Amino acid sequence: MSDVFTRITEELIAGNLKEVPEMCRRAAEDGVPAQEILDKSLFPGMEVVGQRMKTGEMFIPEVLRSAKAMQAGLEVLKDRLVDAGGSSHLGVVVLGTVQGDMHDIGKNLVGMLMEGAGFKVVDLGVDIKPEQFVAAVSEHDAALVGMSALLTTTMPKMEETVKALAEAGLRGRVKVMAGGAPVTPKFVEQIGADGYGADAGGAVDTAKQLLGAA
Ligand code: B1M
């Protein structure tokens, strides 16, 4: 089985948009749990891509292709990844990647699992300004804001968003959580947010705890 994982990882690094979803589908149909495919092939592949990006061995267009291949793999695994028991309505979550940041794969995964767990997810997308989060909370009567950031340079936008929600008088009725590779529990505490998610599964657990649904 490790052979299959290695091959998916290699195709992801190569940015093969056809092979990655196809191989994920076949592995899942052969009974490999979707989470295992993620953990043992897609995540490690993205790690390698990140390393090669850092050292200049891979350039943005190539990284983007790998990102698209990962997204295609996630789409195939989506139904198998989500918690089938999550049919109840646990509350509205406004989700987005903060201003200046275009990374959305992790945020999309968080959204998928939250939906599967029973939250209604309003995904605002990427590059979301504090005022857009504020407007969406009012518009959708959200109980929770979920912010994602992958760049150290965009992390301050998380604090600005928490402040903007407070200035709009919404902080009493909406919980705020944050996650993304550079985000830490300490940072979350410092900016006055309520919760942290290390990964997509952890994000769902935190969301449930914050909304008293755990
Ligand atoms: Co970018 N990039 N990137 N990139 N990119 C990183 C983040 C980087 C670490 C690469 C590196 O140098 N090693 C680096 C950041 C360095 C830093 O700030 N410390 C970096 C950089 C520098 C850049 C650019 C500045 C490069 C440039 O232009 N010179 C540029 C910035 C663009 C912008 O945003 N303004 C850029 C661009 C891009 C692409 C567009 C090419 C592409 C993004 C495509 C897309 O997302 N649609 C891209 C990619 C793919 C990456 C890496 C390789 C992979 C990110 C990813 O998708 N990981 C990344 C290196 C890496 O992470 N190893 C890198 C897989 C994903 C499932 O994990 O997003 O961490 P992740 O999500 C996890 C958790 O973090 C968590 O759960 C998820 C599932 O486990 N999580 C949450 C995420 N959000 C959460 C929210 C929660 C809770 C948990 O609650 C709400």
Side-chain angles (χ1 to χ4, degrees):
M1 191 52 68
S2 62
D3 208 33
V4 173
F5 296 137
T6 308
R7 280 176 38 229
I8 297 177
T9 302
E10 284 168 0
E11 295 296 347
L12 178 75
I13 296 166
N16 195 327
L17 297 174
K18 212 171 140 221
E19 277 300 310
V20 171
E22 194 43 46
M23 289 170 79
C24 287
R25 188 192 325 275
R26 262 186 270 135
E29 282 170 4
D30 286 347
V32 185
Q35 189 65 49
E36 205 174 323
I37 301 173
L38 261 189
D39 290 341
K40 295 188 176 169
S41 59
L42 298 181
F43 285 162
M46 254 350 210
E47 265 317 302
V48 174
V49 171
Q51 283 305 320
R52 293 189 182 173
M53 186 179 175
K54 202 172 172 180
T55 56
E57 287 167 81
M58 274 177 90
F59 297 105
I60 298 295
E62 297 161 296
V63 177
L64 208 45
R65 238 183 124 73
S66 293
K68 282 186 181 156
M70 168 125 188
Q71 197 64 57
L74 282 180
E75 278 304 318
V76 167
L77 299 177
K78 183 176 176 177
D79 290 345
R80 291 178 163 92
L81 274 172
V82 299
D83 171 12
S87 55
S88 56
H89 182 52
L90 301 179
V92 177
V93 181
V94 162
L95 189 65
T97 301
V98 296
Q99 188 178 2
D101 204 319
M102 304 298 169
H103 297 85
D104 68 355
I105 298 174
K107 185 260 302 162
N108 294 346
L109 191 53
V110 168
M112 277 180 200
L113 293 208
M114 281 189 172
E115 251 173 28
F119 292 96
K120 180 176 180 231
V121 176
V122 178
D123 189 342
L124 302 179
V126 298
D127 190 20
I128 303 304
K129 297 186 182 79
E131 56 269 31
Q132 289 176 282
F133 279 107
V134 170
V137 167
S138 299
E139 188 187 340
H140 300 283
D141 195 19
L144 179 67
V145 169
M147 301 181 288
S148 180
L150 263 287
L151 299 172
T152 45
T153 49
T154 57
M155 286 166 70
K157 290 293 169 190
M158 292 182 149
E159 183 168 18
E160 284 181 35
T161 303
V162 175
K163 282 189 179 145
L165 288 164
E167 280 160 17
L170 294 170
R171 216 38 199 102
R173 68 169 229 222
V174 72
K175 300 282 184 192
V176 184
M177 65 175 290
V183 178
T184 62
K186 194 173 170 213
F187 174 77
V188 165
E189 204 187 315
Q190 278 167 0
I191 65 171
D194 306 298
Y196 165 76
D199 53 28
V204 171
D205 292 343
T206 302
K208 283 183 175 172
Q209 277 162 17
L210 291 176
L211 301 190

